[in-house]
């Protein structure tokens, strides 16, 4: 099973239109505000930090490049060819490698695992934007990439984020400038319950070893100048030892 063509086309359209440069899109906050905070939670739990690190849903590679400063082998993977183009252009030194990947496609995932072996996986804010029927195959794909020795750090918007985004989208003055293209391309965040993510991980054969809450930092601000931060929940999971 692979993701729907509508979902793929929506992301291609979004990334083709997205400006270059870190911070140009809604969720592309500086790495120190995102993966830097997450890594402090994730790294101590890694069974084998020497494994390949995969930034799944890497977009323009902001978080990937941060990871590449700290791990020897980092792969940025994304469904969108246009996103991969942005990531490669922003990484002229080739700190990381970048791959097209449909994480819900079993064959593609198994091919990447055969090439890389077991890996540690970082995924931020991707699952809640997937079609409901694609979520379990996507998490199954993560489990295949993790294998026996890797771990995944998965952070997703909490249920409490949905009314916040809804209010921003329906503002009489219009949605914030960086949120508008997300909505226009039909990739507005979907509703994932707080209980669904750990259930998906368990169904994929992974054991959740740590969980918590952190704000998901965006690059956008409200009309009164406050940075928009969205509630999120994180989980670290891997195979039982």
């Amino acid at each position: 099973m692979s993701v729907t063509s509508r979902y793929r086309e929506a992301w291609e359209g979004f990334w083709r239109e997205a400006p270059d440069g870190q911070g140009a899109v809604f969720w592309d906050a500086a790495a120190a505000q995102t993966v830097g905070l997450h890594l402090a939670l994730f790294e101590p739990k890694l069974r084998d930090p020497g494994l390949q690190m995969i930034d799944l849903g890497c977009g323009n590679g902001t978080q990937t490049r941060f990871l590449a400063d700290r791990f020897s082998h980092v792969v940025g993977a994304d469904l969108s060819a246009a996103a991969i183009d942005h990531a490669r252009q922003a990484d002229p030194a080739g700190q990381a490698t970048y791959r097209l990947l449909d994480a819900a496609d079993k064959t593609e995932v198994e091919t990447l695992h055969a090439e890389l072996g077991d890996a540690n996986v970082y995924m931020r804010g991707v699952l809640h934007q997937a079609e409901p029927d694609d979520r379990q195959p996507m998490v199954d794909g993560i489990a295949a990439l993790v294998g026996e020795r890797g771990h995944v750090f998965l952070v997703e918007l909490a249920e409490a984020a949905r009314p916040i985004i809804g209010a921003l989208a329906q503002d009489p003055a219009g949605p914030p400038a960086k949120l508008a293209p997300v909505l226009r391309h039909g990739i507005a965040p979907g509703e994932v319950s707080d209980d669904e993510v750990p259930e998906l991980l368990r169904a994929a054969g992974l054991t959740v070893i740590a969980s918590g809450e952190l704000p998901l930092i965006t690059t956008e601000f409200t009309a009164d100048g406050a940075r928009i931060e969205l509630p999120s929940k994180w989980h670290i999971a891997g195979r039982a030892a």
Side-chain angles (χ1 to χ4, degrees), residues 51-73:
L51 298 178
Q52 298 266 357
M53 177 67 74
I54 301 174
D55 180 13
L56 193 55
C58 69
N60 62 0
T62 297
Q63 319 307 320
T64 319
R65 294 188 298 278
F66 182 94
L67 291 168
D69 281 337
R70 287 149 183 82
F71 295 93
S72 300
H73 307 286

Side-chain angles (χ1 to χ4, degrees), residues 24-229:
V25 300
F26 183 68
W27 52 81
D28 191 31
Q33 298 173 304
T34 51
V35 67
L37 301 178
H38 300 150
L39 193 57
L41 301 165
F42 187 31
E43 193 167 17
K45 301 292 186 182
L46 296 179
R47 183 177 295 143
D48 187 346
L51 298 178
Q52 298 266 357
M53 177 67 74
I54 301 174
D55 180 13
L56 193 55
C58 69
N60 62 0
T62 297
Q63 319 307 320
T64 319
R65 294 188 298 278
F66 182 94
L67 291 168
D69 281 337
R70 287 149 183 82
F71 295 93
S72 300
H73 307 286
V74 177
V75 176
D78 203 280
L79 176 70
S80 164
I84 294 295
D85 287 344
H86 278 281
R88 285 179 174 145
Q89 289 169 16
D91 185 10
Q95 287 181 279
T97 58
Y98 301 92
R99 297 281 294 266
L100 271 177
L101 180 72
D102 178 350
D105 187 298
K106 187 176 183 217
T107 300
E108 289 191 28
V109 168
E110 289 178 347
T111 298
L112 184 59
H113 181 260
E115 178 183 332
L116 302 181
D118 290 356
N120 294 310
V121 176
Y122 174 76
M123 190 166 86
R124 169 181 172 258
V126 175
L127 192 63
H128 70 272
Q129 299 196 23
E131 303 286 351
D133 289 345
D134 291 328
R135 291 174 191 153
Q136 188 65 64
M138 189 177 291
V139 177
D140 291 345
I142 291 171
L145 293 170
V146 163
E148 297 299 321
R149 294 182 295 147
H151 284 93
V152 57
F153 185 95
L154 184 62
V155 58
E156 293 297 331
L157 293 184
E159 287 179 40
R162 187 170 178 82
I164 298 172
I165 294 172
L168 292 169
Q170 296 165 19
D171 190 302
K178 293 179 186 177
L179 181 59
V182 179
L183 302 173
R184 187 172 68 252
H185 285 283
I187 49 177
E191 185 169 356
V192 179
S193 72
D194 291 343
D195 294 334
E196 183 176 353
V197 176
E199 289 172 0
L200 293 170
L201 289 165
R202 284 191 285 268
L206 299 178
T207 298
V208 176
I209 61 173
S211 298
E213 300 181 11
L214 277 175
L216 192 146
I217 307 298
T218 78
T219 61
E220 190 59 277
F221 298 83
T222 61
D224 60 5
R227 184 183 290 273
I228 296 171
E229 300 183 3

